[in-house]
Amino acid sequence: MRPMDSPDFPGLAAVPSFDRRAWPMGGRLDYWTAPDGWPIRRYRLGSGARGRMLVLGGRGDMIEKYLEVIHHWAERGWAVTSFDWRGQGGSGRLTDDPLCGHIGDFGHWIADLAALAAEWRAEGDGPCVMVGHSMGGHMLLRALAEGLEPPDAVVLTAPMLGLHSAPLPLWLAHLVARAMVALGQGEKQAWTQKEGSERLNRIRQKRLTHDPERYADELWWRDHSRDVALGPPSWTWVLQALESTRALARGDAVARIAAPMLILATKADALVSTPAIRAMAARIPGARLHIYGREAAHEILREMDPVRLDALKRIDGFLDEVAR
């Protein structure tokens, strides 16, 4: 499909306002226990008359960031389940630094996803679909490549299939990350981030979304629930991300993924590599790819309404078609 060149998308109806700073009525927030006993914070909303949906957030995300879109899909009849990855959001921390986004091995997250998905599948009948954003999209694709039972449909938004490492080339970024881990800095933040800096917040907002109000919602949740706040990743996370994306790109298992798949990306993404997304989409049988233009930043589902509603329309139409 041709990338959109304008943020003006005709034919999209306005939606009723939604309080993005409150948990929707009727949802259930609890903890799922991983096989090794680790508590994973989980949220469920929706009747399930349409089927079941599992939503996987990105690095540093927490469930609260996606309550608006979770509510949208619940209103369409999906029983939506989302969770915080081990070590971020409300699922605890893996170092003594509460703001450091650390994981020793991405394989731990793959194991958590496989176990949680197995229980999720057994919760009811009807179509089951999985939606993964950014790092969550990478984890979902990697899990499917490693043998996770495919759902009836997969949606990926700005999946982390390659990283931007500027000003360093990828090979040098890999070398630096490997050296820092070897020097015993693996559990330390890979860079510093001043939490109260308005300048840094503006830079971060522009990388994530053009919508300052939705970005402010994330800061509001962080300020009101400090246990969900997260800062930069650890050096080990950086090394794992570089190695995992490279291994997925070089392997041939993605060519055997059978689930219908829709991938949404943006050519203006400053965090993940759009060329890597294009290359991966071309290798997955039947994958559909739509790439937005400069009107969309990394968080497509938290963008200004013209982009966000267009993305939801594409996703809902795709699920109506393939997940029956």
Side-chain angles (χ1 to χ4, degrees):
M1 298 181 185
R2 181 180 63 85
M4 289 186 167
D5 299 317
S6 168
D8 183 19
F9 306 129
L12 293 176
V15 295
S17 61
F18 173 80
D19 187 353
R20 298 188 299 267
R21 301 185 181 184
W23 294 92
M25 295 291 291
R28 180 181 177 186
L29 184 66
D30 62 9
Y31 283 86
W32 170 79
T33 304
D36 66 351
W38 193 276
I40 304 294
R41 191 173 70 142
R42 174 180 60 179
Y43 182 67
R44 289 174 285 184
L45 180 71
S47 66
R50 174 70 179 80
R52 287 167 298 119
M53 176 183 289
L54 186 62
V55 177
L56 287 61
R59 193 210 77 80
D61 285 347
M62 64 284 205
I63 297 166
E64 289 88 331
K65 283 182 66 171
Y66 292 93
L67 291 177
E68 182 177 31
V69 73
I70 288 171
H71 178 262
H72 166 83
W73 283 319
E75 287 288 289
R76 289 183 61 85
W78 295 100
V80 186
T81 297
S82 189
F83 65 94
D84 289 334
W85 294 102
R86 176 189 301 240
Q88 67 179 46
S91 295
R93 296 293 179 269
L94 297 165
T95 74
D96 293 335
D97 180 356
L99 291 179
C100 182
H102 177 72
I103 189 75
D105 188 323
F106 275 13
H108 298 319
W109 281 334
I110 297 296
D112 286 344
L113 174 58
L116 188 149
E119 292 191 18
W120 165 77
R121 284 179 178 278
E123 290 176 355
D125 299 320
C128 58
V129 303
M130 297 183 182
V131 180
H133 169 67
S134 193
M135 186 190 80
H138 172 78
M139 292 298 158
L140 177 51
L141 200 59
R142 174 173 158 177
L144 290 168
E146 294 180 3
L148 179 72
E149 182 180 350
D152 294 295
V154 172
V155 176
L156 306 179
T157 63
M160 188 186 78
L161 303 180
L163 300 176
H164 282 298
S165 60
L168 301 180
L170 275 175
W171 68 266
L172 184 53
H174 196 149
L175 187 63
V176 170
R178 184 177 293 276
M180 294 301 290
V181 172
L183 290 170
Q185 301 299 303
E187 295 187 1
K188 303 297 184 182
Q189 294 184 25
W191 57 82
T192 58
Q193 178 175 301
K194 295 181 180 179
E195 287 288 302
S197 171
E198 291 187 10
R199 174 179 169 275
L200 292 180
N201 273 331
R202 285 196 298 271
I203 293 173
R204 182 172 180 267
Q205 180 227 307
K206 291 178 181 179
R207 290 175 177 172
L208 296 179
T209 173
H210 292 87
D211 192 329
E213 293 184 2
R214 286 189 171 88
Y215 181 75
D217 295 333
E218 176 187 355
L219 300 184
W220 185 90
W221 281 108
R222 288 166 59 97
D223 289 341
H224 285 74
S225 303
R226 290 302 296 173
D227 60 322
V228 305
L230 201 68
S234 70
W235 280 110
T236 296
W237 185 95
V238 173
L239 182 59
Q240 285 287 305
L242 291 168
E243 292 185 342
S244 187
T245 52
R246 183 173 65 180
L248 192 63
R250 291 181 175 179
D252 58 4
V254 294
R256 296 190 292 271
I257 295 175
M261 186 178 302
L262 173 65
I263 304 174
L264 301 181
T266 169
K267 65 181 180 183
D269 205 313
L271 298 180
V272 303
S273 169
T274 305
I277 294 172
R278 285 184 185 273
M280 186 68 75
R283 298 173 56 202
I284 300 173
R288 307 180 191 183
L289 174 64
H290 180 80
I291 300 182
Y292 291 94
R294 296 184 179 278
E295 67 276 7
H298 181 63
E299 293 183 343
I300 296 170
L301 295 178
R302 299 185 69 248
E303 258 296 352
M304 300 291 288
D305 274 348
V307 170
R308 187 182 68 88
L309 295 177
D310 180 80
L312 289 174
K313 183 179 179 181
R314 291 177 183 276
I315 293 170
D316 293 340
F318 169 72
L319 296 180
D320 288 346
E321 175 188 345
V322 304
R324 299 182 177 181

